Amino acid sequence: MSTYLVWSNHHHAYWGPSGGYTTNWLTAGRFTQEQAAERCSRRTWEPRTLPPEVMVLAPDSERAAFTIAELCAIPSQIQDSIRQATRTAIRERRAREAASS
């Protein structure tokens, strides 16, 4: 089963496993897709701002082991995923707004 991290653009950190935030992806909470989506919908998304939270697939979701080189690359890969998820959320919001006007 896939697990997700929830990144807070508001706090510049990941949601923790039982509340709070952490900047370390290794200690971040792991959530199902449904749980992550629910957490991403809790905070009001103000106009002309970044989405408060976005979800990304946890790097260790489908792998139990990594080489040292792979572990070193993960933080930058996650940040790329966060940027992509943020851009996608903005694009989808704009499309919804255009469709409703």
Side-chain angles (χ1 to χ4, degrees):
M1 175 166 70
S2 297
T3 57
Y4 292 81
L5 307 174
V6 176
W7 173 258
S8 172
N9 282 314
H10 182 77
H11 291 282
H12 303 285
Y14 303 98
W15 278 57
S18 56
Y21 296 92
T22 179
T23 56
N24 185 338
W25 72 272
L26 290 167
T27 59
R30 301 302 193 267
F31 306 99
T32 66
Q33 186 173 11
E34 294 78 20
Q35 291 168 327
E38 188 275 326
R39 282 161 175 78
C40 289
S41 68
R42 288 183 182 178
R43 196 180 305 272
T44 301
W45 184 1
E46 299 296 331
R48 294 177 296 282
T49 64
L50 295 177
E53 284 88 19
V54 294
M55 60 189 234
V56 295
L57 189 64
D60 53 347
S61 175
E62 298 175 10
R63 287 188 60 184
F66 297 90
T67 66
I68 296 296
E70 290 169 332
L71 278 173
C72 291
I74 287 174
S76 100
Q77 291 170 350
I78 293 174
Q79 288 304 308
D80 288 345
S81 295
I82 289 168
R83 282 190 289 276
Q84 182 59 42
T86 299
R87 285 191 297 268
T88 299
I90 291 168
R91 193 170 38 254
E92 289 172 354
R93 180 179 182 164
R94 287 180 181 154
R96 283 191 308 274
E97 289 171 348
S100 68
S101 57

